Amino acid sequence: MATIRQNAFNGNWYVPGMDSKYKGELIHEEDENLWALHFTDRYDDASLTELVRNPSKCIQGELENGSCVLLVDLEARHAGGQLLAYDDYLLFPKYILEGIRTDSEAVELGYLAFDFDDIVHWSGMCHFHYRGDNVEWEQEPEVIFECSDHTLTVSPRRYGFMSFIPSRKICLSQTVIFELRPTSEKPLTWFIEMVDRVKSLIMLGIQRKTTLNELRFLQPEDSQHLNNDEHWPTERSLHINYIRAEKTSDTHFLNHLFNFSAIKEHPEIYKAWMDSYAKMKPIIDLRFLVFLHPDSPPVVIFLNLMQALETYHARFICDKLKKYPDIIERFIDEDLKFYDDQHRESYRSYLKENDSASSITLKARLRFLFAIERFLYVPPASKCGLDSFIQKLVDSRNYYTHYNPKKENRAFKPDELPAVNALVSTLLDYYILKKVGYPHKELTSLIHERFVRLDDMIDNSLYRL
């Protein structure tokens, strides 16, 4: 704890709606973006002792410099050691809102602006041109997405100056700002949820971890003046404890699943993403572990991806065995093409669950999901036999999950799993995009290109199948 005191802001602290105020310091450790509240009053007041041990939803601060700050969702942690008294506590807020003074524990906002680490190239919304001694900045018009409960405005922004003096150093930067405006005031938690949804959509497209840079908000009474050019309200900073801007390694544009232009041209994708996110979130979380923890062992990534496919099938295709035959019938009639009735019946039997099953098995779910090979090139279909590949996926999942030495020879080896993971994650990306209404022709084209790029990887790693 001795390294936590980088900045300390003294002031008076109290729970909104209560009269008692206590002296304390808000501590901020900048490198890790860590915030903590330490009461400097002795705990000889019963109400203070209770507040420290069981903090309320919000604590209001009036700092000595005249500023005010609101701490939200606090957690008490014992903080004995060299820095503080042995029997002492720190309160760790989840959210820190500058400039708010309130008498209510209900924190509501009217507007939130935020941006991410370097996504400018992915967005395609702005760029600098260097022409000799001159620098020009080109930008695309803002884009507005409208949903039933909010609008999201996406626009480029430039920082720094362009000097006409050749010898003067030019410091320029650019970013893309997201401005979230609900149709009516919403709680803070709603805004955080929306930010997470936007962030997840970007991560899926850019295919890497993305981090928040800065968040700025307006209270409901301020947001009423957003369209007033003469009296634009002052935005205030919102901090999320432990979350800090960090440099991430950008992915080459060839590795992007899609760019912002796809969402701009098909705004229905954004709306469908927002509408389906709650149901899809467990699948997305499993998929994104590859981005969030890229150094994870291939076995861990494989098990997460297999769970994601199984979860997708259960949530969006079928979760009850007795309904499955009807799902298969509709799938065959509406999505798949066959040369004759005999071929159709053969494939129907292939997709059906066996009569002795008490639930839909993983193998049956994978056969359904890999049925895209009826209209889309999938490497294992021509390399090693698709059904053999599916069976090996099942055997591998069972071996690495339950472990049985007798199953080891039927499972993918650890050095084969990177190729398997790349293929399975591409299949999962297809279904996620399909669910949010990505245009079918464009979707099959981009997934086909990714499968084609996997050909050499499949050849080199899975030749023994």
Side-chain angles (χ1 to χ4, degrees):
M1 297 300 298
T3 61
I4 195 173
R5 287 180 187 270
Q6 192 169 95
N7 295 299
F9 306 94
N10 294 304
N12 294 313
W13 303 85
Y14 62 95
V15 175
M18 295 178 61
D19 295 330
S20 299
K21 295 185 178 182
Y22 305 98
K23 292 189 178 300
E25 56 183 0
L26 180 62
I27 303 168
H28 181 213
E29 198 286 308
E30 291 183 357
D31 290 342
E32 298 299 326
N33 194 34
L34 174 64
W35 298 80
L37 175 61
H38 174 232
F39 285 108
T40 52
D41 279 348
R42 298 299 301 170
Y43 299 165
D44 51 5
D45 185 299
S47 62
L48 176 58
T49 300
E50 179 62 23
L51 177 60
V52 170
R53 301 294 176 91
N54 299 289
S56 64
K57 177 76 174 176
C58 303
I59 292 181
Q60 178 77 63
E62 298 174 346
L63 305 183
E64 290 180 351
N65 62 11
S67 303
C68 53
V69 61
L70 186 69
L71 311 182
V72 182
D73 286 352
L74 295 107
E75 175 189 358
R77 299 184 193 174
H78 193 270
Q82 296 180 355
L83 177 64
L84 303 172
Y86 180 75
D87 188 19
D88 210 342
Y89 288 83
L90 290 175
L91 302 186
F92 290 83
K94 190 170 184 179
Y95 307 109
I96 303 93
L97 293 86
E98 295 184 18
I100 279 192
R101 190 186 304 277
T102 180
D103 290 326
S104 171
E105 286 195 357
V107 182
E108 293 187 333
L109 307 180
Y111 161 96
L112 184 68
F114 51 96
D115 71 323
F116 300 95
D117 62 340
D118 189 9
I119 64 166
V120 169
H121 184 266
W122 176 82
S123 75
M125 294 200 73
C126 55
H127 54 273
F128 289 109
H129 281 303
Y130 294 88
R131 294 187 173 96
D133 293 332
N134 297 320
V135 179
E136 296 178 1
W137 188 61
E138 295 186 2
Q139 65 183 109
E140 295 290 323
E142 67 178 25
V143 181
I144 300 177
F145 299 99
E146 296 187 2
C147 292
S148 60
D149 60 350
H150 74 275
T151 61
L152 180 73
T153 302
V154 185
S155 56
R157 186 172 298 177
R158 185 193 73 203
Y159 298 95
F161 66 93
M162 296 182 184
S163 175
F164 65 92
I165 304 174
S167 61
R168 179 171 291 180
K169 183 179 180 181
I170 299 176
C171 299
L172 301 172
S173 65
Q174 57 187 342
T175 188
V176 177
I177 299 294
F178 297 79
E179 297 174 303
L180 186 61
R181 295 182 175 93
T183 53
S184 60
E185 57 194 57
K186 298 287 186 182
L188 171 61
T189 52
W190 181 89
F191 281 91
I192 298 300
E193 168 68 16
M194 292 300 106
V195 171
D196 186 59
R197 295 184 183 195
V198 173
K199 176 182 174 182
S200 294
L201 182 57
I202 294 172
M203 283 179 58
L204 182 65
I206 209 166
Q207 297 278 284
R208 66 161 168 83
K209 180 180 179 181
T210 303
T211 60
L212 282 164
N213 271 340
E214 185 178 17
L215 299 96
R216 302 188 69 81
F217 70 93
L218 293 176
Q219 291 181 271
E221 57 269 24
D222 296 326
S223 62
Q224 297 173 6
H225 305 289
L226 279 174
N227 297 320
N228 189 333
D229 293 334
E230 295 182 3
H231 301 285
W232 183 270
T234 301
E235 296 178 353
R236 302 173 174 91
S237 293
L238 165 64
H239 309 277
I240 303 178
N241 214 352
Y242 305 111
I243 291 184
R244 60 191 175 92
E246 58 183 88
K247 185 64 177 177
T248 54
S249 299
D250 200 4
T251 50
H252 192 276
F253 72 92
L254 289 176
N255 292 322
H256 295 169
L257 182 60
F258 59 86
N259 292 327
F260 179 69
S261 59
I263 311 172
K264 182 171 63 174
E265 293 167 9
H266 303 283
E268 64 274 12
I269 294 174
Y270 175 81
K271 186 178 185 304
W273 180 268
M274 289 294 168
D275 291 343
S276 61
Y277 186 83
K279 190 173 181 180
M280 199 184 296
K281 190 175 188 305
I283 301 156
I284 295 169
D285 288 344
L286 287 165
R287 172 67 179 99
F288 286 174
L289 286 174
V290 180
F291 306 146
L292 298 175
H293 305 286
D295 297 329
S296 297
V299 171
V300 174
I301 295 175
F302 170 76
L303 292 175
N304 285 329
L305 291 173
M306 294 302 293
Q307 182 63 48
L309 284 178
E310 191 170 18
T311 303
Y312 180 93
H313 188 280
R315 286 184 171 233
F316 293 109
I317 295 174
C318 189
D319 63 341
K320 291 191 170 48
L321 181 61
K322 64 181 180 179
K323 296 181 180 179
Y324 202 39
D326 293 337
I327 299 291
I328 291 174
E329 289 297 326
R330 287 199 298 271
F331 182 52
I332 287 177
D333 292 340
E334 298 173 9
D335 290 34
L336 305 182
K337 305 295 182 182
F338 295 93
Y339 298 110
D340 52 47
D341 290 341
Q342 183 178 359
H343 195 194
R344 178 190 299 267
E345 183 58 37
S346 174
Y347 209 81
R348 179 183 288 108
S349 299
Y350 169 75
L351 291 179
K352 277 177 55 180
E353 187 57 87
N354 62 69
D355 295 334
S356 62
S358 58
S359 61
I360 306 173
T361 62
L362 174 61
K363 185 175 182 178
R365 296 187 192 277
L366 291 177
R367 280 180 169 179
F368 190 103
L369 295 173
F370 272 99
I372 62 170
E373 56 91 19
R374 296 291 306 161
F375 57 84
L376 177 64
Y377 170 74
V378 179
S382 58
K383 302 290 181 183
C384 55
L386 185 56
D387 205 40
S388 297
F389 180 78
I390 290 172
Q391 183 61 57
K392 199 152 190 177
L393 287 175
V394 174
D395 291 338
S396 301
R397 200 286 298 268
N398 292 339
Y399 170 70
Y400 287 115
T401 301
H402 306 299
Y403 181 69
N404 183 334
K406 296 179 181 179
K407 298 179 181 179
E408 183 176 4
N409 291 333
R410 300 203 298 268
F412 288 114
K413 304 297 186 290
D415 62 337
E416 296 174 323
L417 285 177
V420 174
N421 291 341
L423 191 149
V424 171
S425 63
T426 300
L427 178 69
L428 182 59
D429 289 341
Y430 167 83
Y431 278 104
I432 292 174
L433 289 181
K434 181 175 185 290
K435 186 60 189 173
V436 297
Y438 205 96
H440 179 74
K441 185 176 180 180
E442 297 176 27
L443 176 57
T444 53
S445 175
L446 71 87
I447 295 298
H448 170 78
E449 291 177 4
R450 293 178 74 86
F451 276 147
V452 168
R453 273 182 277 166
L454 287 174
D455 270 351
D456 290 341
M457 196 175 185
I458 297 295
D459 274 340
N460 294 334
S461 299
L462 307 181
Y463 61 89
R464 288 172 289 180
L465 281 173

